[in-house]
Amino acid sequence: MSVYLLFALVLALLIIAYLISVLRRVQTQLALMKDALEDIKNGNLNRRVLAMESDMTRKICYGINEIAINSQSRLIQQKQSEQAYKRLMASLSHDVKTPLASLVGYLEAIESKLVVGEEKDEYIHVASDKAQNLKHFVENLFEWVKLDSGEQIFRFEIFDLNELSRNIIADWIPILENSHFEYEFDIPETEYSMRIDATAYTRILNNLLQNIITHSGGDNMALRIFENEHQAKIVITDNGKGISSDNLPHIFERMYQCDHSRFAKGNGLGLAIAKELVSVHKGTITVDSTPGTETIFTILLPKAL
């Protein structure tokens, strides 16, 4: 046997050995993938398939891992949504049923002539406040359900942001005065055209202003609008009791209620809706607060939408 023939034979044996090794590695990986898929199918979304960069099956392994991660993420979101709806249902019991029963009690007392004179007027005033609070809650609830279900239809049109803001604020001036609030508005006289859903923008300002009147405990508020080449900046300030640092990161969360803060009487929907509607405009809303001094809500809306 010549040296060349012997060399070729050894080389062939080495290649065969290598191919057998690769085949066994692939067989092992396929067995692992089969087990992993079965495990994931049975609900174990923590299962992953390990693979080396040199493995022929690495892309399939990565794909299986990605499917498991995405499924796990969707499951977590689904559970969070279910928990949110459970909190919503629990809140309905407190935020609708209890004040409604109280409202009926006040009206029955008036109808039965159990109260007269100034006491009767006070009962009517309290009943009216409770009816208004229920109205705001139901409006917020329907707004949130539409947003959450994706049924809300937005119509973006070109508006002068400054003029639109002035029109919204005009409706709030008598409400602020009746609530004994001093106010200051600083809105440029220049035209600032932006693509806005006017209904959604109105809702954003309404929710923030209602929040100040109902929960801040202050007596002074200000709204200022600034603009530059790229965005509009709407800043709303009040001099109320403020928000503690513990509660501040959570106030835009749905159904979040602070037990001992300015939101104690709230249902946790108004600010969540405002944030959602700002996001629809591809903007941001943030809040800063110094307890006992001031709270500042800042909205940034991009010029190009």
Side-chain angles (χ1 to χ4, degrees):
M1 181 180 296
S2 70
V3 175
Y4 294 110
L5 185 58
L6 181 61
F7 177 77
L9 180 60
V10 171
L11 182 61
L13 289 173
L14 288 174
I15 291 173
I16 290 171
Y18 171 74
L19 291 176
I20 291 174
S21 173
V22 170
L23 181 60
R24 284 180 176 172
R25 175 68 181 170
V26 171
Q27 286 176 327
T28 302
Q29 286 290 308
L30 288 174
L32 287 173
M33 285 188 284
K34 181 185 176 185
D35 288 343
L37 285 171
E38 193 67 26
D39 214 10
I40 292 169
K41 178 184 173 184
N42 291 330
N44 181 10
L45 300 180
N46 292 315
R47 182 64 185 269
R48 302 289 183 269
V49 184
L50 300 179
M52 295 187 293
E53 283 292 332
S54 58
D55 285 341
M56 296 174 64
T57 58
R58 65 184 184 283
K59 289 186 178 179
I60 301 175
C61 293
Y62 296 161
I64 292 173
N65 291 341
E66 190 174 350
I67 290 171
I69 292 170
N70 291 339
S71 298
Q72 192 173 38
S73 177
R74 285 195 295 272
L75 183 63
I76 291 172
Q77 289 177 355
Q78 182 182 351
K79 288 182 177 179
Q80 289 175 338
S81 180
E82 289 173 356
Q83 290 173 351
Y85 273 105
K86 286 180 181 177
R87 290 199 300 272
L88 180 63
M89 292 301 107
S91 178
L92 279 174
S93 175
H94 179 269
D95 291 330
V96 175
K97 185 178 177 181
T98 304
L100 188 59
S102 177
L103 173 61
V104 170
Y106 277 99
L107 293 176
E108 285 178 347
I110 295 168
E111 189 179 31
S112 304
K113 302 185 186 308
L114 295 176
V115 289
V116 294
E118 293 184 358
E119 192 177 8
K120 177 182 175 182
D121 293 339
E122 180 63 22
Y123 268 52
I124 293 173
H125 177 70
V126 173
S128 177
D129 282 347
K130 289 184 178 298
Q132 287 295 330
N133 289 336
L134 283 170
K135 175 174 174 285
H136 291 311
F137 178 78
V138 172
E139 287 175 349
N140 281 335
L141 184 61
F142 280 123
E143 185 84 20
W144 179 260
V145 169
K146 282 196 296 183
L147 285 170
D148 200 41
S149 64
E151 294 179 357
Q152 182 85 322
I153 298 172
F154 297 97
R155 293 182 176 83
F156 290 94
E157 301 176 64
I158 300 297
F159 286 96
D160 175 3
L161 179 73
N162 294 332
E163 182 181 3
L164 179 60
S165 301
R166 279 192 290 271
N167 291 337
I168 297 169
I169 288 167
D171 293 335
W172 279 91
I173 288 177
I175 301 173
L176 289 166
E177 291 177 345
N178 289 336
S179 302
H180 309 292
F181 262 82
E182 294 183 0
Y183 51 84
E184 179 183 353
F185 302 123
D186 184 5
I187 302 175
E189 293 297 329
T190 54
E191 183 175 319
Y192 190 23
S193 297
M194 289 184 63
R195 288 194 73 234
I196 295 173
D197 181 296
T199 302
Y201 180 70
T202 302
R203 189 68 169 170
I204 293 168
L205 293 192
N206 284 349
N207 283 11
L208 292 175
L209 292 172
Q210 184 65 52
N211 180 276
I212 288 175
I213 290 177
T214 307
H215 305 297
S216 75
D219 59 7
N220 188 290
M221 63 82 56
L223 185 149
R224 298 180 175 85
I225 296 180
F226 309 90
E227 61 184 87
N228 60 31
E229 184 180 356
H230 303 292
Q231 61 187 8
K233 182 177 182 181
I234 301 109
V235 181
I236 302 177
T237 309
D238 70 68
N239 69 337
K241 64 184 74 170
I243 308 167
S244 70
S245 57
D246 291 340
N247 291 317
L248 204 58
H250 305 291
I251 65 166
F252 292 114
E253 295 176 6
R254 178 173 50 178
M255 306 307 294
Y256 184 79
Q257 294 173 307
C258 312
D259 291 335
H260 304 292
S261 75
R262 57 189 272 158
F263 300 99
K265 295 183 293 182
N267 51 58
L269 284 175
L271 293 182
I273 290 171
K275 182 179 182 181
E276 188 72 17
L277 294 177
V278 169
S279 297
V280 169
H281 288 79
K282 302 191 185 304
T284 60
I285 180 169
T286 55
V287 59
D288 292 304
S289 186
T290 304
T293 302
E294 67 175 1
T295 297
I296 306 170
F297 287 94
T298 303
I299 301 169
L300 295 177
L301 297 178
K303 191 170 185 179
L305 180 63

